[in-house]
Amino acid sequence: HAYGDARATHTFEAGLIATALSGGVTTALKYASGRARPSLAAGLSSRQFEPFGGDMSFPSGHAAVAFSLAGTIGYHYPGWVGRTAMLGACFTGFARVYNFHHWTSDVVFAAMLSTATAHCVSRMNLAAAHGDLTFEPYFGPNAQGLALRKRF
């Protein structure tokens, strides 16, 4: 545990996993949706998509990371710490829209996806930590990923 703090360790592990999962889904959706950014969409509407066309506005990757981390922190540290993290994520999303990098729906979708992912991962990781089944990041010499470990 991080300096003997089990809650901080669980928050770190869940945040890493939630960010990786949200990031993977977000990246796949970016390629598949083909939505142009507002700054590049001269005369286009937010409803125009060209799947696999190279444009990658939907959903917002910055918002996905921010809300994954904020959702994880909020799950493990309810109260002012969690609310402050979520406020920071909201500012990140607002900045992406304000600076014409994303449509509002890009940020809202990323926020919903990532917050839900963070809560699910946090809940599963915390429950697993109290049993003999754990869900944790894996970093090996030739591979990285998520590992499900069963203790016998």
Side-chain angles (χ1 to χ4, degrees):
H1 296 290
Y3 301 104
D5 188 347
R7 183 163 69 163
T9 300
H10 292 304
T11 304
F12 173 77
E13 290 174 352
L16 188 62
I17 294 166
T19 301
L21 290 173
S22 294
V25 171
T26 298
T27 301
L29 287 172
K30 280 180 171 291
Y31 282 103
S33 69
R35 186 185 218 182
R37 296 183 184 276
S39 59
L40 302 175
L44 299 177
S45 92
S46 64
R47 295 185 188 141
Q48 290 185 283
F49 293 84
E50 185 182 331
F52 303 102
D55 291 323
M56 299 193 330
S57 178
F58 178 83
S60 170
H62 286 83
V65 169
F67 281 96
S68 289
L69 296 175
T72 303
I73 292 167
Y75 185 89
H76 292 280
Y77 294 91
W80 73 269
V81 173
R83 288 192 299 272
T84 302
M86 194 57 73
L87 184 62
C90 288
F91 279 129
T92 300
F94 174 78
R96 301 304 290 167
V97 174
Y98 182 79
N99 292 311
F100 300 103
H101 294 296
H102 286 284
W103 304 97
T104 302
S105 55
D106 299 343
V107 171
V108 170
F109 181 85
M112 292 187 314
L113 169 74
S114 300
T115 303
T117 301
H119 280 256
C120 289
V121 168
S122 295
R123 187 177 182 141
M124 285 175 31
N125 201 41
L126 200 55
H130 296 302
D132 59 351
L133 185 67
T134 57
F135 186 50
E136 54 197 37
Y138 171 77
F139 298 100
N142 298 321
Q144 296 81 37
L146 301 176
L148 187 61
R149 180 181 295 179
K150 170 80 173 150
R151 294 189 189 114
F152 294 98

